[in-house]
Every structure is written in structure tokens, then in C-alpha cells.
């Protein structure tokens, strides 16, 4: 949940990036990220909220951007080719070229979303250690919840607990 409305409403900045985690069942390790699960995420610089999704192809990334980000947003990405066309849907699109050691140029950077990925990966490696594809969306939802309800957004422990309990009301979690 990204709160109310679309990310980047009113011309706000939104960072988009993707990362790879784990290993697909039955896949052997090889060069590139094809043997791993792809995660796409967005962070709204105005609200400080994040939205993450497990994706399997370029079309899902485009659909997620269209569903989640306002056309009036300023989109910030890395230099991945897929963003060239996708970025045209937004008021502005700026990218940084990591392959040329460019991490920030003016307002253009993906440092916030990369920080989100860093926390997610440390949690997955250090705490959970293994995540099957069928459960990846649940882990992403948990980390999104933690990030979107953190102290830096002035959410107290009590508020966070109340939000979590309201989210499980009427739901029963079974092994299936």
C-alpha cells in the first residue's frame, strides 16, 4: 500500500529500480540475473513510501508504473534501456548512468530505492535465508509495510501495531 492516490501526484519525484534476489527453482547459477527472481520497486520522494512487486517481464514493469505513478510525476531511474520508452509517460524522466560511475546528478538519483533494496536483501539473507517464489510477494509486502510505517515517517510503535492489527482483521492465515 502506498497510501492514498498515485505516487508523484502534483509533480513529485518517484524513483524506480529493479533488483534480483534468490534463485529460481531448478535454475542453475549462470551469468546475468536470469536465474534469479526480479523485484521492481518504486519510492515516492514526497511521502517516503515504497511499493515493491515481484515481476517476470518488462510488460509487468510498465503496467506497475502506469497503475502506481501519476503522469505528472518526475521519474528517476538508472540507465536501463527499458526506462527510455517508459519514461515518456511522465512529466519528466531523468536517469543516472551507473556504468559510468554516475550516482547523482542534481535531483536525478536512485539512492533511496537502492537503500530500500539493501534493507530488503539484508533481511532476506540474514533473517529469512530462503524464499520460495510462491512466498516472495509476502516478504515484499512485509518489508514494504516496515518501510512505510517506520519511525522516520513519525509513526510510533503503537500506531504501527494498530495498523498491523487492523490489516489482519477478519483474515485467517493457514499453511495453504
Amino acid at each position: 500500500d502506498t497510501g492514498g492516490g498515485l505516487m508523484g501526484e502534483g509533480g513529485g519525484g518517484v524513483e524506480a529500480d529493479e533488483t534480483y534476489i534468490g534463485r529460481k527453482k531448478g535454475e542453475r547459477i549462470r551469468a546475468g540475473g536470469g536465474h534469479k527472481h526480479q523485484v521492481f520497486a518504486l519510492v515516492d520522494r514526497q511521502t517516503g513510501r515504497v511499493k515493491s512487486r515481484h515481476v517476470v517481464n518488462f510488460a509487468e514493469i510498465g503496467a506497475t508504473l502506469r497503475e502506481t505513478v501519476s503522469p505528472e510525476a518526475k521519474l528517476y531511474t538508472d540507465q536501463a534501456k527499458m526506462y527510455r520508452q517508459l519514461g515518456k509517460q511522465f512529466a519528466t524522466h531523468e536517469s543516472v548512468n551507473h556504468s559510468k560511475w554516475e550516482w547523482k546528478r542534481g535531483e536525478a538519483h536512485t539512492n533511496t530505492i537502492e537503500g530500500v533494496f539493501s534493507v530488503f536483501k539484508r533481511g532476506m539473507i540474514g533473517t529469512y535465508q530462503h524464499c520460495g517464489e510462491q512466498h516472495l510477494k509476502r516478504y515484499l509486502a512485509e518489508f514494504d509495510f516496515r518501510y512505510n510505517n517506520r519511525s522516520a515517517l513519525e509513526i510510533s510503535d503503537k500506531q504501527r501495531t494498530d495498523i498491523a492489527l487492523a490489516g489482519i482483521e477478519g483474515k485467517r492465515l493457514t499453511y495453504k
Side-chain angles (χ1 to χ4, degrees):
D1 177 29
T2 59
L6 296 173
M7 290 181 155
E9 285 184 323
V14 176
E15 295 178 32
D17 201 9
E18 70 288 335
T19 192
Y20 299 89
I21 188 147
R23 191 168 82 198
K24 293 179 184 174
K25 189 173 183 175
E27 291 278 338
R28 67 186 218 295
I29 296 174
R30 59 182 186 274
H35 64 286
K36 294 185 174 207
H37 301 289
Q38 186 176 17
V39 173
F40 175 69
L42 301 155
V43 68
D44 188 322
R45 290 185 181 174
Q46 287 178 295
T47 64
R49 296 178 67 77
V50 69
K51 174 73 176 171
S52 305
R53 280 199 180 152
H54 174 219
V55 296
V56 294
N57 58 39
F58 171 77
E60 286 185 54
I61 290 174
T64 301
L65 279 167
R66 284 187 294 280
E67 294 165 8
T68 312
V69 181
S70 170
E72 59 192 9
K74 299 172 187 170
L75 184 66
Y76 300 105
T77 67
D78 60 21
Q79 76 285 356
K81 290 179 183 178
M82 70 177 155
Y83 295 122
R84 290 182 194 156
Q85 190 63 31
L86 293 172
K88 294 177 183 178
Q89 303 170 48
F90 304 98
T92 62
H93 172 228
E94 292 186 60
S95 63
V96 289
N97 191 340
H98 293 165
S99 65
K100 294 191 177 180
W101 301 98
E102 180 183 50
W103 308 112
K104 184 177 189 332
R105 182 180 10 83
E107 292 297 312
H109 67 79
T110 57
N111 298 336
T112 311
I113 197 65
E114 288 171 7
V116 170
F117 287 146
S118 175
V119 171
F120 173 67
K121 286 183 174 186
R122 278 195 308 261
M124 293 304 293
I125 293 167
T127 303
Y128 300 111
Q129 299 174 8
H130 173 75
C131 172
E133 182 174 10
Q134 73 274 25
H135 299 295
L136 182 55
K137 67 181 177 185
R138 291 179 180 94
Y139 287 101
L140 289 168
E142 177 185 341
F143 279 89
D144 283 0
F145 176 84
R146 289 183 193 187
Y147 192 84
N148 292 337
N149 294 285
R150 65 194 188 281
S151 298
L153 295 178
E154 299 182 9
I155 296 176
S156 70
D157 290 342
K158 181 187 180 330
Q159 290 172 307
R160 190 172 19 266
T161 301
D162 291 343
I163 294 166
L165 290 174
I168 63 170
E169 188 175 339
K171 296 176 185 169
R172 183 165 177 238
L173 183 63
T174 63
Y175 185 76
K176 289 181 184 180

